[in-house]
Amino acid sequence: MASRKTAAASDKPNISREELLKYYREMLLIRRFEEKAGQLYGMGLIGGFCHLYIGQEAVVVGLEATAKEGDKRITSYRDHGHMLACGMDPKGVMAELTGREGGYSGGKGGSMHMFSKEKHFYGGHGIVGAQVPLGAGLAFADKYRGNDNVTFAYFGDGAANQGQVYETFNMAALWRLPVVFVIENNQYAMGTAQRRSTSSPDIHTRGTAFGIKGEAVDGMDVLAVKAAGERAVAACRAGKGPYILEAMTYRYRGHSMSDPAKYRSREEVQKMRDERDAIEHVRELLLTGAHATDDDLKAIDRDIKAIINEAAEFSKTSPEPDASALWTDVTV
Amino acid sequence: MATEILMPALSPTMEEGTLAKWLVKPGDQVKSGQILAEIETDKATMEFEAVDEGVIEALLVAEGTAGVKVNTPIATVLVEGEAAAPAAAPAPVAAPAPAEKPTPVAAKAAAPVAVVATASPDWPEGTPMKAMTVREALREAMAEEMARDETVYLMGEEVGEYQGAYKISQGLLDQFGPRRVIDTPITEHGFTGIAVGSAFAGLRPILEFMTFNFAMQAIDQIINSAAKTLYMSGGQMGCPIVFRGPNGAAARVGAQHSHDYAAWYAQIPGLKVVMPYSAADAKGLLKTAIRDGNPVIFLENEILYGRSFEVPDLPDFTIPFGKAKIWREGEDVTIVSFGIGMVHAIEAADKLAAEGISAEVIDLRTLRPIDYDTLIASVQKTNRCVTVEEGWPVGSIGNHLSATIMERAFDYLDAPVINCTGKDVPMPYAANLEKLALVTSDEVVAAVKKVTYR
């Protein structure tokens, strides 16, 4: 493997073996899940739109490592990774992708619309940028109740150009809402490269006008994401108001399954995979630090493969929703 | 044991494609994410990646082959360890309890049968009454509900220190403090999203729009986020929120401040829509709206704010949704309306009475759900119907009521239903033109004479 630009493990103090193994496992679970989802889409078992998270795993796994019970999260339609990272059941997620009764929304939401009250996962939103004020609203509720929970509101570099994001920055700062705005900058808004859509590239500085602290972080390095996340979460819990994290990341697959991705070269994608892959990074740390053997990691791979196969099987065998479900859940 | 690689579906609509090019050959070691082939769909040429790691055993479809059906095996791959460790099949999962029976929202198409409307009174007979304006009634409803439930809060432009742009929230800041009466910047899209998000998290916001015209800035959050999330989440994530404010024409405020949104919102499943006329209805229905677990659109009217009505002098009363009010009983024609349209309906009924025509006047009060039964029962009695509303004619509430009456009471009709609406133009400013643009009681009288052949 080519040398990587990210800092070596020695720069990150106090990372335990258990932690590294946990991140490896969680990121691998997301990747294998998404690969399987891509496969099931190819077989026609998943319909409509399906946006895969492959390549971006370190962002959500690093941030989830900073969350505590009661913290909330909300994101866009590229949401499978966020659900798995906050502990939602892969079977229920995959069965929602196939539109089955056993899915988190009983088959009525699909890839883009899943929720879990139990895990404080608030979707799964299909309109670019809409989750940003919604996320600030979740934080508003925590502040109203007077607890110290925080909300992670994830959005992309594309959504960062929506007006409602800045309306939200203003109110979140004005009212000191405990929300971490996580910009997952994967460098492409669907097929439009950031340099073609965005007048100033440093999105994390866009809170400056509102007095919101922001920082950029290497989104391909789970330890760096976690460290930045801890700073952001600490500020929010301390009542200092919102925080912006711009995670520089990359998606390996197209915007959705039907994206031929002709707006970037194959070499560009391959270079990221070879040199910056977040999972390979942790794998290397584990092996070079003698925290784990090849066999240890193979055992994890096998475990995850079994979980994914079980989820896939469940998503095929769970029945389609009963016709009566058409009329339920319109109102309470 | 070899694993088959199948022709993938690479778009929501793809059924077959061309295998344009193979990028691997038999004997090649492939890893997850490696590009195996280029496939042409009806829309684009796509790269097709490997999922499983292993060695390509055979290519089953030659490159250049067109019309390859989705799910046709196109290659086989030998996956390491696959034969050795097959995944255990999961136990079948028990089906959940059957969902409750469907309750269709739209009117049922049925043979004409007598419909009995439940006309129970809104409050017990003998209840003491007091005169109150619609404005006071709305304020009282909010104050009572905020005192009753700590999760209820009021948010909007000028609701606090300014005491409300139309003084509906007068005194609430003093009574409940800035934590629960929250002035916003002028930023409807953003604060609507914030309020909706807080409702997902279990608070019960009352969101005031200075007028519903400005809610168009926030329409995505109202429809896509508030109205649809319960359904999209399979019933998990409710949104108990009230969107309220003045709707429709005031006086001489021009095209951008005069729009009646009744028909727009009434079209949306997942919302409840209320449009009161009287002060008693404003109070009882707003209290119901605040207690409701769904997003409620509460359409008020600036002209009605200052009108006085008799309101029951009770410590707590509510009026259920989906129950129309019969303002006067009559024999010759049914006039059905809601909100400020009731002013014209009642005025017309008075004029008609002077000419010996007896009109039954129905106030729908809620537009989602609609009390169809009360309307149909009335039409079955009078055999004629005129609808009255301020909004535009195309896709109006009146259109929908006409269709419903035709489906459910066709054989009872002695004349076509006539829809009296606002004119099909943006609201003009000039005083004379504005009068012409609005529906009038004279137009209602003329419509009634037409359907009664007078």
Side-chain angles (χ1 to χ4, degrees):
Chain A
M1 167 170 281
S3 65
R4 51 183 68 253
K5 293 175 201 151
T6 47
S10 55
D11 297 345
K12 311 278 176 3
N14 304 323
I15 299 297
S16 69
R17 170 180 190 270
E18 286 66 36
E19 254 183 296
L20 278 177
L21 283 170
K22 179 171 176 286
Y23 304 152
Y24 178 76
R25 193 186 164 82
E26 289 177 353
M27 291 194 292
L28 198 64
L29 177 74
I30 295 173
R31 176 143 325 164
R32 295 286 172 263
F33 182 96
E34 295 290 62
E35 287 166 353
K36 182 61 81 177
Q39 195 180 38
L40 296 183
Y41 191 95
M43 293 162 71
L45 286 162
I46 296 171
F49 296 124
C50 184
H51 309 84
L52 302 182
Y53 197 63
I54 295 175
Q56 302 180 209
E57 297 91 343
V59 180
V60 76
V61 169
L63 285 167
E64 281 294 337
T66 70
K68 70 169 189 179
E69 174 53 34
D71 288 349
K72 301 174 175 58
R73 57 284 284 166
I74 188 167
T75 187
S76 69
Y77 42 78
R78 195 178 307 285
D79 56 358
H80 312 161
H82 303 71
M83 293 187 276
L84 298 176
C86 73
M88 289 168 66
D89 183 351
K91 292 207 294 288
V93 180
M94 197 70 93
E96 189 59 37
L97 298 185
T98 54
R100 305 302 174 97
E101 196 173 73
Y104 265 98
S105 296
K108 287 154 82 167
S111 164
M112 299 187 285
H113 307 300
M114 270 176 265
F115 305 80
S116 168
K117 257 200 170 148
E118 184 201 348
K119 301 291 182 189
H120 311 289
F121 179 75
Y122 287 83
H125 295 269
I127 307 298
V128 174
Q131 76 275 21
V132 180
L134 293 171
L138 298 171
F140 178 95
D142 281 322
K143 184 166 167 86
Y144 188 91
R145 293 189 166 110
N147 62 41
D148 73 342
N149 280 122
V150 306
T151 296
F152 298 93
Y154 294 88
F155 56 103
D157 47 301
N161 288 325
Q162 286 278 23
Q164 60 184 318
V165 170
Y166 301 94
E167 298 187 19
T168 303
F169 280 2
N170 181 42
M171 284 177 281
L174 188 67
W175 299 335
R176 290 180 178 264
L177 301 181
V179 53
V180 183
F181 296 111
V182 185
I183 300 157
E184 298 194 62
N185 185 346
N186 65 20
Q187 303 173 41
Y188 293 91
M190 193 168 160
T192 304
Q194 200 195 344
R195 70 187 148 71
R196 298 203 300 121
S197 67
T198 302
S199 61
S200 86
D202 295 325
I203 307 177
H204 60 278
T205 65
R206 292 202 192 163
T208 309
F210 307 94
I212 304 176
K213 191 169 165 52
E215 60 175 292
V217 58
D218 182 354
M220 305 303 277
D221 179 346
V222 68
L223 302 179
V225 172
K226 185 195 172 220
E230 281 171 344
R231 289 190 288 277
V233 166
C236 284
R237 289 208 209 288
K240 292 180 181 167
Y243 203 100
I244 296 171
L245 283 183
E246 180 184 6
M248 308 307 295
T249 184
Y250 199 81
R251 69 168 146 74
Y252 298 168
R253 296 292 188 94
H255 166 72
S256 69
M257 286 303 295
S258 47
D259 172 12
K262 294 300 177 202
Y263 44 82
R264 60 186 186 187
S265 70
R266 190 178 290 172
E267 290 69 33
E268 178 185 307
V269 181
Q270 199 56 46
K271 192 171 157 64
M272 288 300 286
R273 276 180 181 267
D274 288 345
E275 298 179 10
R276 305 299 323 284
D277 188 76
I279 298 175
E280 280 303 320
H281 171 48
V282 173
R283 184 185 166 83
E284 207 173 71
L285 292 179
L286 282 164
L287 293 175
T288 57
H291 296 302
T293 64
D294 223 20
D295 282 348
D296 293 338
L297 299 185
K298 272 194 175 149
I300 293 177
D301 293 358
R302 274 197 302 276
D303 273 2
I304 285 178
K305 198 167 184 182
I307 292 169
I308 299 303
N309 284 336
E310 194 190 354
E313 192 55 35
F314 178 77
S315 78
K316 296 177 199 168
T317 51
S318 175
E320 289 191 311
D322 189 84
S324 64
L326 178 67
W327 294 101
T328 57
D329 309 321
V330 178
T331 53
V332 292
Chain B
M1 189 177 91
T3 298
E4 286 182 339
I5 297 175
L6 306 179
M7 181 71 169
L10 295 169
S11 82
T13 50
M14 175 177 167
E15 289 175 3
E16 60 177 42
T18 300
L19 207 165
K21 190 176 174 188
W22 278 111
L23 299 172
V24 292
K25 58 184 187 305
D28 281 0
Q29 176 78 36
V30 295
K31 59 180 185 175
S32 168
Q34 185 176 339
I35 296 155
L36 299 177
E38 289 179 358
I39 288 168
E40 280 174 28
T41 72
D42 50 345
K43 296 191 184 96
T45 300
M46 308 277 294
E47 289 168 348
F48 175 48
E49 296 179 2
V51 173
D52 296 307
E53 310 209 339
V55 176
I56 298 289
E57 186 190 47
L59 303 180
L60 306 176
V61 174
E63 66 179 29
T65 308
V68 182
K69 299 276 184 221
V70 165
N71 280 338
T72 308
I74 56 175
T76 53
V77 61
L78 291 162
V79 179
E80 185 196 353
E82 189 181 57
V93 174
E100 68 181 77
K101 280 280 170 252
T103 13
V105 178
K108 286 162 274 186
V113 286
V115 176
V116 181
T118 51
S120 62
D122 292 325
W123 45 81
E125 215 173 315
T127 299
M129 305 294 282
K130 58 181 176 183
M132 190 184 275
T133 62
V134 171
R135 174 179 284 111
E136 289 163 344
L138 293 167
R139 195 203 64 79
E140 265 197 14
M142 289 195 287
E144 287 176 16
E145 292 307 301
M146 287 177 76
R148 177 179 175 270
D149 181 349
E150 213 267 334
T151 64
V152 177
Y153 72 90
L154 173 65
M155 177 184 268
E157 292 159 1
E158 311 294 5
V159 297
E161 294 195 7
Y162 194 93
Q163 305 294 327
Y166 295 99
K167 298 289 177 279
I168 306 302
S169 57
Q170 195 150 30
L172 294 181
L173 176 65
D174 291 343
Q175 192 177 346
F176 296 101
R179 174 170 165 267
R180 298 182 65 197
V181 179
I182 299 148
D183 282 320
T184 65
I186 302 171
T187 176
E188 286 85 3
H189 196 178
F191 72 64
T192 302
I194 288 176
V196 169
S198 79
F200 288 165
L203 299 185
R204 293 182 167 266
I206 305 168
L207 193 67
E208 176 174 310
F209 291 116
M210 194 180 289
T211 91
F212 261 95
N213 300 278
F214 310 154
M216 278 211 279
Q217 296 258 15
I219 196 84
D220 174 63
Q221 292 290 1
I222 297 171
I223 310 295
N224 273 318
S225 300
K228 295 180 184 171
T229 295
L230 183 74
Y231 196 82
M232 295 194 301
S233 67
Q236 277 191 77
M237 200 69 67
C239 187
I241 186 170
V242 178
F243 302 102
R244 50 154 291 271
N247 167 71
R252 314 270 323 266
V253 291
Q256 292 182 339
H257 287 70
S258 301
H259 189 163
D260 172 15
Y261 290 91
W264 277 36
Y265 288 114
Q267 216 249 336
I268 309 296
L271 293 179
K272 294 193 177 178
V273 182
V274 184
M275 192 153 160
Y277 161 59
S278 74
D281 288 349
K283 185 173 179 187
L285 289 166
L286 183 54
K287 284 165 68 76
T288 300
I290 293 166
R291 293 180 196 184
D292 198 278
N294 300 287
V296 180
I297 304 286
F298 198 91
L299 301 168
E300 300 160 10
N301 186 282
E302 191 190 333
I303 291 166
L304 294 178
Y305 279 154
R307 299 242 176 140
S308 275
F309 294 84
E310 291 293 301
V311 177
D313 193 3
L314 292 169
D316 188 28
F317 85 99
T318 56
I319 292 173
F321 291 169
K323 190 176 157 208
K325 179 183 168 81
I326 299 175
W327 276 80
R328 62 197 283 167
E329 294 190 355
E331 302 301 326
D332 300 329
V333 63
T334 299
I335 303 176
V336 57
S337 188
F338 47 90
I340 196 164
M342 285 300 298
V343 172
H344 311 298
I346 290 170
E347 222 174 78
D350 286 341
K351 290 179 184 173
L352 290 162
E355 298 184 40
I357 300 172
S358 160
E360 181 144 298
V361 181
I362 295 175
D363 180 358
L364 289 176
R365 303 198 287 194
T366 61
L367 301 175
R368 181 173 273 274
I370 286 180
D371 182 356
Y372 296 106
D373 285 354
T374 293
L375 173 64
I376 298 294
S378 176
V379 171
Q380 287 178 345
K381 180 176 75 175
T382 65
N383 311 115
R384 294 166 167 90
C385 183
V386 169
T387 70
V388 185
E389 69 197 287
E390 194 182 86
W392 287 313
V394 179
S396 63
I397 297 288
N399 290 172
H400 172 64
L401 297 177
S402 305
T404 305
I405 293 166
M406 188 172 71
E407 284 179 24
R408 290 185 60 186
F410 185 77
D411 291 343
Y412 290 87
L413 284 175
D414 287 343
V417 177
I418 293 183
N419 300 148
C420 295
T421 67
K423 309 307 180 294
D424 203 11
V425 296
M427 187 62 72
Y429 167 70
N432 65 325
L433 294 182
E434 185 182 59
K435 266 189 195 139
L436 289 169
L438 290 164
V439 66
T440 64
S441 59
D442 285 343
E443 287 166 1
V444 179
V445 167
V448 167
K449 288 187 175 169
K450 204 166 171 189
V451 299
T452 52
Y453 306 109
R454 307 269 179 132

